[in-house]
Each structure stands twice: as structure tokens, then as C-alpha cells.
Amino acid sequence: DYPPAPSGPLVSVIIPARNEARNIERCLRSILATPYPTIEVIVVDDRSTDGTGDLVEHLGGGVRLVRGAELPPGWFGKQWALVQGYRVARGELLLFADADTKHEPTLIARSVTARAAERADLFSVIPRQEMVTFWERLIQPHVFLALQARVGDLRRVNRTRIDWNAIANGQFIL
């Protein structure tokens, strides 16, 4: 219910991508369609073997491609890709988004407004899930049921003072 911010701090959108050739163009086009004027988009190609990085390069549009370095000992892939994106980001705000997501045009602008209005250090959304494959349709409802059983009313999560009740969706973390 928050109005889109017409302007604001630079938001660095960091997208880790490993073998996301099937999804990356849709994701990037949806992010670049934002009316929010101050964003930079950074895609970290996490050593893809399906041409993800080449697709990003050919798309252009001001998207910065970071070719991911080898995974250091003790690190997990997605977290390492996010750190590499963070290291080149210039934004006052960091938005971590998954490569297999599609963003409504005003999502970033509304999220900037909401984060400021709520005086939150971290802002996350739970999006509508598209379940296409057999396995998604089989597994995802159980994930949502577990979340519902654990949290109950999601509005409680917004202002919890109990660390155990705090959650964020890794698909969109501002």
C-alpha cells in the first residue's frame, strides 16, 4: 500500500546468477522497467556453463556484469556471489534479488518508500509464486504450509522483537 518513491538514494540491485540463461533476460527487463530513477544493476555470473554471462553482456542496458571468481574454501555459492556484487556496488541501499524472479515496475520504488516509512534496516517481500513444473507443484505447497505453521499471521513478522520469528525472503531483500 505504499506509494512509489519518485526519487531517493541509489539502489544497487545485485543478482547472483548461476546457469540462469532461461530466466535472466525476463528478470533484468522487469527490473530495468522500474520508474525509480536511481538504480544500478549488477549481475554476478557465478561461473555459469549455459551462457548466462554472455546473455547479460548482449542485453546491455547499463547492466554491469561481474564474472564470478572461484569459490573460496568455507563459502557457499550464492553468498559468495552476493559478496562479489556487494564489493562493486555504489548504492546507499542494496537490493539482493534472485535471477528467476520477475518484478512489477513499481516494486523497487514502493519498497524504498516502505523501508523508510517503517524505519526498517531490512525490507523483504513474499511474492506470488509461479509453480510450473511437477516438482514445484509437489514441493512448494509444503514449504508454504511449513511457513504458515511456523509464523501464522505474517503481519507479526514485521515488528517482531524475537529473533527466532524474524524472516526474510532471499528472492528480494532490500
Side-chain angles (χ1 to χ4, degrees), residues 58-124:
H58 286 78
L59 282 174
V63 175
R64 180 170 184 184
L65 175 65
V66 174
R67 298 281 184 176
E70 276 298 314
L71 190 65
W75 281 83
F76 292 102
K78 183 176 181 179
Q79 290 79 5
W80 174 236
L82 292 172
V83 166
Q84 291 174 82
Y86 160 76
R87 288 180 176 164
V88 300
R90 298 177 297 122
E92 180 181 331
L93 297 177
L94 303 174
L95 169 58
F96 301 104
D98 282 356
D100 63 352
T101 57
K102 177 182 177 243
H103 303 246
E104 292 299 317
T106 61
L107 178 59
I108 293 173
R110 289 179 187 277
S111 297
V112 169
T113 299
R115 190 197 68 82
E118 296 293 333
R119 297 184 319 208
D121 294 324
L122 183 144
F123 183 82
S124 187

Side-chain angles (χ1 to χ4, degrees), residues 28-29 32 39-41 56-64:
L28 290 174
R29 289 195 189 285
L32 293 171
I39 67 166
E40 69 172 348
V41 181
V56 172
E57 275 185 333
H58 286 78
L59 282 174
V63 175
R64 180 170 184 184

Side-chain angles (χ1 to χ4, degrees), residues 26-48:
R26 181 175 93 148
C27 176
L28 290 174
R29 289 195 189 285
S30 72
I31 289 170
L32 293 171
T34 184
Y36 188 77
T38 51
I39 67 166
E40 69 172 348
V41 181
I42 301 163
V43 175
V44 181
D45 179 23
D46 188 17
R47 300 169 290 120
S48 296

Side-chain angles (χ1 to χ4, degrees), residues 125-167:
V125 297
I126 297 177
R128 184 175 74 86
Q129 300 288 319
E130 294 178 1
M131 294 174 276
V132 180
T133 69
F134 168 80
W135 292 108
E136 289 170 337
R137 290 180 179 162
L138 180 67
I139 302 298
Q140 285 300 102
H142 297 283
V143 172
F144 299 129
L145 181 62
L147 179 63
Q148 182 70 27
R150 168 67 190 96
V151 175
D153 184 354
L154 287 175
R155 290 173 293 192
R156 288 189 356 222
V157 172
N158 288 338
R159 291 178 178 79
T160 187
R161 298 285 183 230
I162 302 167
D163 291 346
W164 176 251
N165 286 337
I167 62 169

